[in-house]
Amino acid sequence: MPARFLRFAGLARIARVVLGCVVVMSLCLLLPLGLRIHDSLAGLRSEASDNLHWNLSQLEVDLVRLDEEVRVDTLLPEAPLKELRKRYDLFYSRAQNAIGGKGYDAPGLGELPQDLAAHLNAYLARETPLIDGPDATLRANLPTMTQRLGALRDDLRKISIAMVDALAKLGDEKRDAFSALVRQMAWATGTAILLLAAMLGAAIWLNRIAAREQRLTAEVSRRLQATIDSALDAIIVSDEAGRIIQYNPSAETTFGWPRAEVMGQELGQMIVPAALRAGHAAGMARMRAQSSYRVVNAGRIQSVALHRSGREFPVELAISAAGGQSGRIFIAFLRDISDRLAAEAELTATRDQALAAGRAKTEFIAVMSHEMRTPLNGVIASLEIAAAMAEGELKRFITLAQDSAQLLLRHANDVLDITRLERGGLQMTIEDFDLNAHLSGLVETFRPICDDKRIGLSFAMPGEHPILQGDAFRVGQIVRNFLSNAIKFVKVGGITVEARVSAAPDARQVEISVTDTGPGIAEADQARIFDEFVMLDPSFGRTGEGAGLGLSICRRLARAMGGEIGVESTLGQGSTFWLRLTLPLGRKPAGPSAPVDRAPMPAMDVLVVEDNATNRAVVGELLRRLGQRVTFAFDGEKGVAAAQVRHYDLILMDVSMPVMDGLTATRLIRQDGASRTSRIIAVTAHSMPEDLDRIRAAGMDDVLSKPISGANLIRVLSGGLEAEGLIDDTRLAELRTAVGAEGLSRLAEKFFHDGNGLVGRLLAEDANITTLCHEAAGLASVLGATRLRVFCSRAEEMSKQRPDDARRLLRRDLQGLWAETASALRAQMGGTA
Amino acid sequence: MRVLRALFGLILMTSAAWAGDFAPPKGDVLLTVKGDIAATNVDGTLELDAAQLAALPQTEFTTSTTWTAGKPQFKGVLLKDLIAAAGAKGGTITLKAINDYTITMPLADVGAEAPLLAYLMDGQPMSLRDKGPVWMVYPYDSSDKFRTEEIFSRSIWQLTEIDFSD
């Protein structure tokens, strides 16, 4: 549109210039012509010469009349000569005109007037003395006068004719010149008229263009007005002073003010709540002063607006500025977002409810799996005892039963894993393991089922067979899942499991792949299969093998270990599932760790507080087999009573019991009695994080998860780190007595500060860990951070013989332990402040 | 026109003073006035000799003419003064020369400064040979309006008779 206006303006300018030129040209052309015509006309009007023809004819007439009188007087001798003299005088007078008058003196006549004058003078000079003389003389000369008159008449006639001819010629020339002038004038006038007509045409044309542009502009502005009027958003336009200059129907609805009442009013007074008016005015002033915009052109902004009724409501607004002829204008688009905000709030509430419901479901599933694990605990423990006692064929069956029990336990654990993964509560068990041995053993367990289905199964691990550090069970869980799936799909052909390691700094890249000759997976489904509850073949649901959770759990597990899983598949040719992980190198030789290799446990007095007879029997048997002296209590109350009277080195306390639960019992034991300082270990199937907190808060030192196995028991008996309390309350209490609460808090601050520094230095690549560990152990002992102290002392001892192991230990556990200690200490300080 | 009418009003008023004051001419008759006139002296006409003309208001001017060499001085009676003196009325004036040249002009064309009925040129009476005895002249040099064909044709010489009949 501006281009059109520019073009039009250009045309109009050119037209003006051309018009000016034409007018000037016309004037230049017409003015001199007009002046010449005026001069010619003036010449014609003030014709200085008398009519020559008239004069000549009058001269001749007078001559003829004189001649006539002369002839009459010649014939009548008695006639008086008065008339003759009068006629002579008249002729004389006429002749004088010709001799001296200008009437005979026209340009172009040449010598003719002089010639005429000469003839007349000559004649008058001869005759006048006769006329003026006596009558007798005059009468005597009459006959010769007649002769001379005749001669004069002939001469005059000749000269007259010559003059008339010359005059005619002159007249023709004059007329020609004048008519040429008039013709020129006519041409010039015609040209000027044509040019003016052309200019008139151009003016009309430009006028039409202007009218069209005007119509167009009017139409555009009408359309714009219609757009503004029909906009769903309120649109308010204000001038630079903030006065409303445009206000659309939506604005009427939004703000309640009719258009007529707000036009020209100050915007801030009408729609800005009183509390925001000062800010609004400051903003307007700022914009006027320095043209800096904070809200203008800043996109969508949420604010509060004022309704006519005084109600304030949330709005979303966008303001833009435009330069106008009379200063800048501001265009505000406003939308009442009360409904939207209400909807958002409702949506949020709904989502929160849904999340709460989801959490409740997760709780339910967690509880259910625990409940399943409790009876399994009995089965597995019993089988372990039976396996130790049995021999031969019986031992083989018991082993089979153990495997099945383990499998069942893992299914329950799968479900538990999901709930834990969802809450981020999955704990990895990091240990050294031989990947080759682990995988080959795992693969072998699938051989019978493959043989049954008559499909091949092979395992290969070319290259290096390193000892790695990681959660072997979780790695195996993923590979097992891949294998189970492959076996389900392969009808003909086989399954190949392959593991490769490649070097990485201080670690190894591990890729384990399971390749099958199954039907393959369509590309579209390849990403989907790792989502929860996705089963490509519905028939699997009926096999009862899983709930579509397998691959989803695998992916979560892989990610939890810092790895990734994926699939490559071609439809009709088979699939390859892979797991990629980076695991640090381990040291220990692979193989079943353990209890077998251990030195016998020192004999301790152990109190087992357990209401379930089976569990009592199992735990009792396991402890006895470890050479421990075991005493039983059947519920919490009895346990407290027993602990009062005698010191036990270790108390295994079931958490859920009738009459008195483990937590209450522990609190009572800690209050008084012989076993006040004994290590108390909670035995529970509740292994959710908040349970652990509750257990520790009750004064228990560690937790033993059901099902109880020999290995777990050994760990507890040997005073695993977990056996050590995080913070020694007694030590803290003593300190508080000694230095006061304020002094203690100062000590604690120093502890946090120094501790942070030490942890950083310990984890540095070139740290002297022996010295630093010693220092850290000393720092920990000041505030009774028992577990940290024990950990540091152990690392110090280890560093003297096996510095690399010590480093690895520190890297793995130090930061977590420090964080735990610090937060526990803070909780203690906060709780007592 | 209004000025002219006012002028005529004046003329009519003054003519009453002149009318009837003309005696018959004693010398040669230079000019005969006839027609609708108030003042007469001979047979219903007004005949004027040189002395009578000289008794009327005199006007003189110098001008060149188409018919003479040099710039003669003309002296005589303005036609309007004669009209006033004779108490003449009518729409048209007919003027006649000795050689029977005749012109007619509307009374309205008689101006305040012209034409002049000159009977002296350069102080001398004009003979027939000098276009006398009376020559009606205009001050041709004073204005363009006196140099038109019409004015030239009205410059009647050897004038003998003025007739106010129409």
Side-chain angles (χ1 to χ4, degrees):
Chain A
M1 189 63 55
R4 293 186 63 137
F5 279 128
L6 279 180
R7 205 169 61 231
F8 176 66
L11 278 174
R13 200 162 40 243
I14 291 167
R16 267 200 299 280
V17 171
V18 170
L19 184 63
C21 287
V22 166
V23 167
V24 170
M25 269 166 57
S26 303
L27 283 176
C28 289
L29 209 62
L30 291 176
L31 210 63
L33 279 171
L35 284 174
R36 277 164 65 191
I37 287 176
H38 178 262
D39 289 348
S40 298
L41 284 174
L44 285 175
R45 197 162 43 241
S46 61
E47 188 55 74
S49 63
D50 200 349
N51 194 309
L52 184 65
H53 296 97
W54 168 259
N55 288 344
L56 287 171
S57 70
Q58 287 303 305
L59 188 64
E60 197 169 352
V61 165
D62 283 342
L63 193 60
V64 167
R65 292 177 72 179
L66 177 61
D67 187 33
E68 192 180 64
E69 191 59 32
V70 171
R71 284 172 196 278
V72 168
D73 288 340
T74 309
L75 294 174
L76 303 173
E78 299 305 319
L81 293 173
K82 191 182 170 209
E83 183 62 25
L84 175 66
R85 287 199 172 92
K86 188 180 110 185
R87 293 209 175 172
Y88 181 82
D89 284 352
L90 288 177
F91 171 73
Y92 185 98
S93 168
R94 187 73 70 185
Q96 288 306 314
N97 285 354
I99 290 161
K102 293 163 196 147
Y104 296 86
D105 190 18
L109 290 181
E111 298 297 312
L112 289 172
Q114 281 84 345
D115 199 12
L116 178 68
H119 276 88
L120 287 172
N121 264 332
Y123 177 77
L124 290 177
R126 182 171 307 196
E127 295 298 344
T128 305
L130 285 174
I131 296 294
D132 294 345
D135 283 1
T137 315
L138 180 56
R139 202 173 290 280
N141 278 294
L142 282 178
T144 52
M145 269 184 77
T146 309
Q147 278 173 13
R148 281 196 295 276
L149 269 171
L152 184 62
R153 274 183 68 181
D154 287 348
D155 290 343
L156 284 185
R157 178 146 289 278
K158 274 178 204 153
I159 293 171
S160 292
I161 288 168
M163 282 180 118
V164 167
D165 279 354
L167 218 58
K169 223 163 98 189
L170 267 177
D172 282 350
E173 278 170 15
K174 254 187 188 172
R175 270 193 301 279
D176 284 353
F178 188 69
S179 74
L181 203 59
V182 170
R183 228 177 1 256
Q184 277 176 23
M185 187 71 181
W187 273 112
T189 310
T191 310
I193 287 173
L194 274 179
L195 281 170
L196 285 171
M199 287 319 297
L200 187 67
I204 290 171
W205 177 62
L206 284 174
N207 215 30
R208 257 186 217 157
I209 291 179
R212 201 172 58 220
E213 297 293 342
Q214 208 172 356
R215 267 203 311 279
L216 218 67
T217 310
E219 196 178 330
V220 166
S221 83
R222 215 169 32 244
R223 240 181 261 155
L224 191 64
Q225 189 60 47
T227 309
I228 289 172
D229 284 352
S230 59
L232 293 175
D233 285 350
I235 298 175
I236 301 178
V237 182
S238 84
D239 60 11
E240 213 166 7
R243 284 186 300 268
I244 296 172
I245 55 176
Q246 207 156 9
Y247 187 84
N248 74 342
S250 285
E252 292 188 328
T253 320
T254 306
F255 295 100
W257 292 100
R259 184 183 147 85
E261 284 184 45
V262 297
M263 289 301 280
Q265 297 290 317
E266 219 277 306
L267 185 68
Q269 299 300 318
M270 304 309 289
I271 65 162
V272 178
L276 300 178
R277 257 171 224 164
H280 170 77
M284 290 297 289
R286 192 178 55 242
M287 282 187 302
R288 275 193 293 273
Q290 6 165 313
S291 320
S292 77
Y293 300 142
R294 193 175 295 171
V295 178
V296 174
N297 297 334
R300 295 172 170 212
I301 288 167
Q302 282 203 11
S303 187
V304 182
L306 180 66
H307 190 266
R308 186 187 190 178
S309 62
R311 171 177 62 88
E312 292 181 9
F313 60 96
V315 286
E316 186 177 70
L317 63 106
I319 302 178
S320 58
Q325 276 184 340
S326 46
R328 278 173 302 174
I329 58 168
F330 301 103
I331 307 131
F333 301 83
L334 302 109
R335 185 180 298 174
D336 184 347
I337 52 169
S338 310
D339 292 347
R340 200 183 80 192
L341 289 187
E344 272 172 17
E346 199 183 316
L347 211 60
T348 309
T350 311
R351 187 203 59 194
D352 289 347
Q353 282 170 15
L355 283 178
R359 265 199 303 278
K361 209 174 281 177
T362 306
E363 296 281 349
F364 173 73
I365 291 168
V367 169
M368 281 306 291
S369 354
H370 284 304
E371 292 309 319
M372 277 202 288
R373 295 207 307 176
T374 306
L376 264 176
N377 168 48
V379 173
I380 288 169
S382 302
L383 284 171
E384 197 172 340
I385 296 162
M389 294 190 297
E391 281 175 3
E393 194 73 348
L394 183 60
K395 187 175 173 83
R396 197 170 64 82
F397 281 119
I398 290 176
T399 308
L400 277 176
Q402 272 182 309
D403 287 347
S404 301
Q406 287 297 337
L407 194 66
L408 190 54
L409 183 62
R410 270 164 203 168
H411 283 320
N413 282 343
D414 265 359
V415 177
L416 204 57
D417 280 347
I418 282 287
T419 54
R420 280 175 178 169
L421 282 164
E422 271 182 5
R423 323 171 97 200
L426 183 76
Q427 302 241 321
M428 291 288 159
T429 308
I430 306 299
E431 56 191 3
D432 288 349
F433 69 103
D434 179 343
L435 182 65
N436 184 46
H438 189 74
L439 287 180
S440 62
L442 187 149
V443 169
E444 282 313 304
T445 60
F446 284 89
R447 190 164 300 287
I449 191 169
C450 288
D451 288 347
D452 283 353
K453 291 189 72 173
R454 301 190 190 287
I455 53 176
L457 176 65
S458 64
F459 169 71
M461 183 165 176
E464 192 193 1
H465 291 181
I467 304 301
L468 299 169
Q469 209 171 58
D471 193 329
F473 173 72
R474 297 301 182 188
V475 173
Q477 187 179 352
I478 294 170
V479 177
R480 250 196 312 279
N481 205 293
F482 289 171
L483 268 169
S484 313
N485 282 341
I487 289 166
K488 273 183 264 173
F489 286 104
V490 174
K491 300 277 187 286
V492 179
I495 301 164
T496 308
V497 180
E498 197 173 83
R500 285 175 189 277
V501 292
S502 51
D506 270 343
R508 289 290 180 274
Q509 294 265 7
V510 179
E511 177 171 326
I512 305 165
S513 61
V514 177
T515 306
D516 65 53
T517 54
I521 300 161
E523 205 160 318
D525 294 326
Q526 284 178 15
R528 207 160 62 85
I529 54 174
F530 297 102
D531 295 338
E532 270 114 9
F533 305 112
V534 171
M535 288 182 291
L536 294 185
D537 183 348
S539 65
F540 299 142
R542 272 174 256 129
T543 66
E545 268 290 347
L549 285 171
L551 284 173
S552 149
I553 291 173
C554 287
R555 186 166 65 175
R556 285 167 188 253
L557 284 174
R559 285 180 180 167
M561 291 188 285
E564 194 52 64
I565 65 170
V567 65
E568 282 147 25
S569 181
T570 310
L571 212 56
Q573 291 184 14
S575 312
T576 298
F577 282 85
W578 49 260
L579 163 67
R580 291 190 193 116
L581 279 174
T582 301
L583 294 175
L585 282 169
R587 267 298 163 106
K588 268 194 277 176
S593 64
V596 194
D597 300 341
R598 269 183 195 260
M601 305 293 299
M604 291 193 285
D605 288 316
V606 179
L607 174 64
V608 177
V609 186
E610 171 64 78
D611 64 319
N612 186 294
T614 315
N615 284 343
R616 248 196 337 264
V618 170
V619 173
E621 183 54 30
L622 286 171
L623 284 171
R624 267 193 287 272
R625 286 167 59 81
L626 289 168
Q628 306 299 315
R629 297 183 290 274
V630 183
T631 310
F632 292 108
F634 303 131
D635 57 41
E637 210 172 66
K638 292 193 174 66
V640 171
Q644 291 268 345
V645 294
R646 190 186 145 189
H647 173 80
Y648 290 96
D649 297 313
L650 186 71
I651 300 171
L652 293 182
M653 178 77 74
D654 189 11
V655 175
S656 333
M657 286 180 295
V659 185
M660 180 188 285
D661 65 26
L663 302 178
T664 314
T666 303
R667 268 183 225 111
L668 289 172
I669 292 170
R670 288 284 183 226
Q671 274 172 10
D672 199 13
S675 301
R676 188 162 55 87
T677 57
S678 300
R679 287 182 62 213
I680 304 177
I681 310 295
V683 180
T684 179
H686 296 271
S687 47
M688 306 301 270
E690 61 264 31
D691 295 336
L692 293 177
D693 290 344
R694 262 189 319 131
I695 287 163
R696 292 199 198 284
M700 297 191 181
D701 296 300
D702 202 355
V703 177
L704 196 55
S705 289
K706 288 179 183 176
I708 295 167
S709 65
N712 285 343
L713 263 182
I714 289 165
R715 181 177 62 80
V716 169
L717 289 172
S718 61
L721 262 189
E722 288 78 4
E724 303 296 339
L726 264 177
I727 304 293
D728 184 350
D729 296 352
T730 323
R731 171 77 186 143
L732 268 186
E734 284 167 5
L735 269 176
R736 193 174 285 117
T737 319
V739 301
E742 213 179 294
L744 181 64
S745 113
R746 263 204 306 280
L747 273 175
E749 284 313 313
K750 182 172 163 39
F751 173 76
F752 292 138
H753 177 265
D754 293 352
N756 269 327
L758 270 174
V759 168
R761 280 153 69 196
L762 269 168
L763 293 177
E765 207 58 51
D766 53 352
N768 181 348
I769 51 173
T770 311
T771 318
L772 287 173
C773 281
H774 185 78
E775 201 180 328
L779 182 71
S781 67
V782 174
L783 281 178
T786 317
R787 198 184 298 174
L788 182 65
R789 176 179 55 76
V790 173
F791 175 79
C792 290
S793 300
R794 244 182 239 176
E796 185 193 350
E797 281 307 309
M798 196 191 279
S799 72
K800 289 170 185 163
Q801 307 296 324
R802 300 174 284 138
D804 284 353
D805 283 359
R807 266 180 222 285
R808 204 171 291 128
L809 180 72
L810 285 168
R811 273 203 287 277
R812 196 186 70 185
D813 291 332
L814 179 60
Q815 259 178 327
L817 180 55
W818 167 246
E820 232 178 306
T821 305
S823 74
L825 186 60
R826 278 210 177 83
Q828 288 274 349
M829 303 297 292
T832 55
Chain B
M1 285 305 274
R2 210 174 299 149
V3 176
L4 281 176
R5 260 190 221 126
L7 208 61
F8 279 119
L10 196 70
I11 289 166
L12 288 173
M13 272 165 64
T14 48
S15 69
W18 289 95
D21 284 356
F22 289 96
K26 293 183 181 91
D28 289 342
V29 172
L30 298 188
L31 193 59
T32 305
V33 183
K34 55 186 190 180
D36 188 4
I37 52 172
T40 57
N41 54 1
V42 180
D43 299 334
T45 65
L46 180 61
E47 293 186 349
L48 299 166
D49 58 15
Q52 281 170 315
L53 278 174
L56 290 171
Q58 299 295 298
T59 301
E60 57 181 64
F61 51 73
T62 303
T63 183
S64 64
T65 77
T66 322
W67 309 277
T68 57
K71 285 192 174 186
Q73 189 211 48
F74 292 98
K75 185 174 180 183
V77 181
L78 282 173
L79 181 55
K80 59 129 181 155
D81 290 332
L82 176 68
I83 289 167
K89 290 176 203 155
T92 307
I93 315 170
T94 306
L95 299 102
K96 204 181 220 173
I98 293 171
N99 63 354
D100 295 333
Y101 179 75
T102 305
I103 61 152
T104 57
M105 63 183 285
L107 194 65
D109 281 1
V110 177
E113 46 177 341
L116 178 73
L117 303 173
Y119 61 95
L120 293 174
M121 181 159 65
D122 293 330
Q124 298 298 313
M126 290 183 283
S127 69
L128 270 180
R129 292 179 189 175
D130 300 324
K131 303 187 180 6
V134 178
W135 186 2
M136 188 164 91
V137 291
Y138 291 78
Y140 307 102
D141 290 348
S142 71
S143 170
D144 261 358
K145 64 181 180 182
F146 298 129
R147 288 196 294 271
T148 68
E149 286 293 338
E150 187 175 42
I151 294 297
F152 290 146
S153 69
R154 282 180 186 172
S155 301
I156 184 168
W157 56 73
Q158 296 158 344
L159 176 66
T160 56
E161 188 184 298
I162 302 175
D163 188 350
F164 293 96
S165 304
D166 294 325

